[in-house]
């Protein structure tokens, strides 16, 4: 029975995807006399937490009820008061928690507050599911570096584009719709300047439900980006960051800033150090990044060992050509025994397209 109510809390938590970063996804369910009397989830960063929303939505007095929550109730004052104190105030009898919060400001303190108030606490229910759900938050809160995923689409013969650099469209409409779901979930999207020059993308999110556009991060060590690019022209509406070399044209840097673009100057030898960049982006409260290309940046990111997850779309098409682009470029790995492997593989089907999702080992 505990798993049944926790599964419902997990379903509720999912509704916060794309709106709560860098906070975790959290769902809460209140049960009394074997009946759900209140539900809530963390809906938006800076707003009420899941437990508070569940209380607000309760259909009857919650005194003596049980609460199921996917993450340990907070015990500190942040943008909102501590949820643990609210649970005590509402005279909840028992609290079932899926996973403890590794945030140093919480980290079992919420459980202690509840237990000291005489509330029975049980944790670990469906913990593997909620850890997977909050993989972004868990990495960021413990390392202060963004969770990084790579995404690309290729033909059955492993091509990213034809020899003429045409790539629209490899995958079908359902696959592309899922990519927009990913863009909504990740706080930032990263591409190399070559992709901007070749495709002039908008890097926005187009969905039929409420969404938000990710922060756009362009890796451009020589500051080659055209000022007429869509990402530059829309920088006033959507936060846009260009990462470039220390010796880049000062006049162009100034012009970009006038166009509302944030510019990060980094040492480039000849590439930007992506590990060092992640530290900077984490300090800017960016908790997650979806790298969409191009092939050179994906290759650099792979060899830099910064990627946590891969989303690889495969379409049942073949185009051939030794000069056609492959998805992951750069210098590559010399020996097969040194190949980088994925674990926890999942397969998703979008009509005839296949998507492989997997985590990188560390």
């Amino acid at each position: 029975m505990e798993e049944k109510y926790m599964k419902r809390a997990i379903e509720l938590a999912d509704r916060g995807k794309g709106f709560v970063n860098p906070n975790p996804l959290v769902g809460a369910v209140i049960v009394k006399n074997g009946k759900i009397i209140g539900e809530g989830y963390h809906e938006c960063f800076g707003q009420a937490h899941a437990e508070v929303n569940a209380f607000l939505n309760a259909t009857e007095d919650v005194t003596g009820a049980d609460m199921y929550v996917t993450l340990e109730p907070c015990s500190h004052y942040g943008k909102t008061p501590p949820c643990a104190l609210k649970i005590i105030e509402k005279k909840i009898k028992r609290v079932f928690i899926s996973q403890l919060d590794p945030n140093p400001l919480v980290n079992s303190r919420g459980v202690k507050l509840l237990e000291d108030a005489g509330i029975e606490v049980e944790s670990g229910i469906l913990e593997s599911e909620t850890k997977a759900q909050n993989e972004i938050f868990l990495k960021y809160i413990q390392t202060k570096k963004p969770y990084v995923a790579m995404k690309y689409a290729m033909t059955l013969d492993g091509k990213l584009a034809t020899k003429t650099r045409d790539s629209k469209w490899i995958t079908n409409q359902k696959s592309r719709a899922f990519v927009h779901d990913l863009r909504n979930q990740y706080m930032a999207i990263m591409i190399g300047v070559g992709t901007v020059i070749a495709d002039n993308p908008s890097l926005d999110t187009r969905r039929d439900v409420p969404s938000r556009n990710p922060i756009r991060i362009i890796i451009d060590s020589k500051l080659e980006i055209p000022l007429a690019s869509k990402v530059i022209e829309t920088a006033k509406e959507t936060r846009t960051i260009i990462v470039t070399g220390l010796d880049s044209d000062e006049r162009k840097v100034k012009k970009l800033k006038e166009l509302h673009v944030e510019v990060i100057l980094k040492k480039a030898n000849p590439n930007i150090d992506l590990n060092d960049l992640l530290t900077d982006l984490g300090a800017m409260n960016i908790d997650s990044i979806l790298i969409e290309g191009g092939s050179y940046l994906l290759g650099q990111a792979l060899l830099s060992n910064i990627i946590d997850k891969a989303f690889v779309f495969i379409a049942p098409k073949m185009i051939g050509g030794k000069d056609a682009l492959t998805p992951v470029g750069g210098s590559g790995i010399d020996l097969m025994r040194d190949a980088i492997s994925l674990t926890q593989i999942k397969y998703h089907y979008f009509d005839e397209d296949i998507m492989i999702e997997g985590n990188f080992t560390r």
Side-chain angles (χ1 to χ4, degrees):
M1 191 61 70
E2 285 78 12
E3 289 192 358
K4 170 189 172 182
Y5 295 127
M6 192 60 75
K7 283 181 179 178
R8 177 55 182 164
I10 292 171
E11 291 174 359
L12 291 166
D14 260 341
R15 299 181 183 179
K17 284 183 176 178
F19 301 100
V20 302
N21 308 65
N23 281 355
L25 298 165
V26 185
V29 172
I30 303 171
V31 179
K32 190 172 184 179
N33 299 324
K35 182 181 71 173
I36 294 177
I37 64 168
E39 294 184 335
Y41 67 99
H42 186 29
E43 299 178 11
C44 187
F45 177 74
Q47 295 183 12
H49 288 185
E51 299 93 327
V52 173
N53 284 328
F55 288 132
L56 291 172
N57 295 328
T59 56
E60 61 180 88
D61 182 18
V62 301
T63 300
D66 296 336
M67 172 170 275
Y68 293 78
V69 61
T70 57
L71 187 69
E72 177 183 4
C74 61
S75 56
H76 63 288
Y77 286 87
K79 290 185 177 295
T80 60
C83 291
L85 295 182
K86 177 64 70 173
I87 292 171
I88 295 168
E89 174 193 325
K90 292 291 186 177
K91 296 183 171 63
I92 292 294
K93 181 180 179 181
R94 296 186 299 178
V95 176
F96 297 89
I97 299 168
S98 180
Q99 62 171 314
L100 300 180
D101 190 343
N103 184 341
L105 296 174
V106 185
N107 198 14
S108 297
R109 291 184 179 88
V111 169
K112 187 176 187 306
L113 271 176
L114 296 175
E115 290 179 335
D116 287 349
I119 296 173
E120 182 182 337
V121 179
E122 182 180 334
S123 62
I125 303 168
L126 301 181
E127 185 176 19
S128 61
E129 292 186 26
T130 53
K131 281 187 173 180
Q133 183 181 56
N134 266 320
E135 58 192 359
I136 288 174
F137 168 76
L138 293 175
K139 179 191 176 182
Y140 181 67
I141 200 66
Q142 294 177 92
T143 68
K144 295 304 178 185
K145 285 189 174 184
Y147 187 92
V148 181
M150 65 188 297
K151 187 283 298 181
Y152 63 83
M154 67 180 186
T155 59
L156 200 57
D157 53 342
K159 304 298 183 181
L160 182 69
T162 68
K163 62 183 179 182
T164 65
R165 301 301 186 262
D166 180 51
S167 61
K168 293 182 173 56
W169 295 100
I170 290 175
T171 53
N172 62 34
Q173 188 172 354
K174 287 185 178 179
S175 294
R176 299 197 300 275
F178 183 80
V179 170
H180 286 279
D181 288 340
L182 289 178
R183 289 183 178 181
N184 179 62
Q185 294 173 31
Y186 284 76
M187 185 178 285
I189 184 170
M190 178 184 288
I191 63 171
V193 68
T195 301
V196 177
I197 293 171
D199 300 335
N200 193 22
S202 298
L203 301 180
D204 56 2
T205 302
R206 295 182 291 277
R207 301 167 78 224
D208 295 330
V209 294
S211 308
R212 58 119 178 95
N213 289 327
I215 299 166
R216 302 175 297 195
I217 303 172
I218 317 298
I219 307 300
D220 185 6
S221 59
K222 297 180 181 178
L223 206 56
E224 300 172 296
I225 191 166
L227 294 178
S229 301
K230 290 179 182 177
V231 290
I232 303 301
E233 292 178 338
T234 57
K236 187 175 181 179
E237 292 77 38
T238 302
R239 187 178 178 188
T240 304
I241 300 169
I242 291 181
V243 186
T244 190
L246 291 171
D247 57 353
S248 293
D249 186 336
E250 293 181 1
R251 290 173 297 179
K252 191 169 185 179
V253 169
K254 181 180 178 182
K255 180 61 178 176
L256 287 167
K257 290 180 178 180
E258 290 173 353
L259 294 171
H260 307 281
V261 176
E262 297 175 44
V263 180
I264 297 177
L265 299 173
K266 302 289 292 182
K267 186 176 181 180
N269 273 330
N271 298 319
I272 304 293
D273 185 325
L274 296 180
N275 272 292
D276 186 52
L277 176 60
L278 283 194
T279 300
D280 294 342
L281 296 175
M284 296 164 66
N285 291 325
I286 295 175
D287 72 344
S288 53
I289 299 170
L290 181 66
I291 303 181
E292 289 203 16
S295 63
Y296 186 82
L297 176 60
L298 287 173
Q300 183 190 357
L302 193 67
L303 294 184
S304 297
N305 196 32
I306 67 166
I307 303 177
D308 299 290
K309 182 183 284 290
F311 298 99
V312 179
F313 294 82
I314 305 172
K317 302 174 182 178
M318 294 189 185
I319 53 178
K322 64 180 179 63
D323 295 324
L325 292 178
T326 55
V328 183
S331 57
I333 291 171
D334 293 332
L335 301 174
M336 184 58 69
R337 65 170 181 252
D338 297 325
I340 301 169
S341 300
L342 294 175
T343 61
Q344 298 172 278
I345 303 298
K346 297 178 184 177
Y347 299 93
H348 307 264
Y349 297 89
F350 301 96
D351 290 338
E352 69 274 15
D353 291 351
I354 299 173
M355 187 193 79
I356 299 175
E357 174 186 349
N359 294 340
F360 283 85
T361 56
R362 285 286 186 263

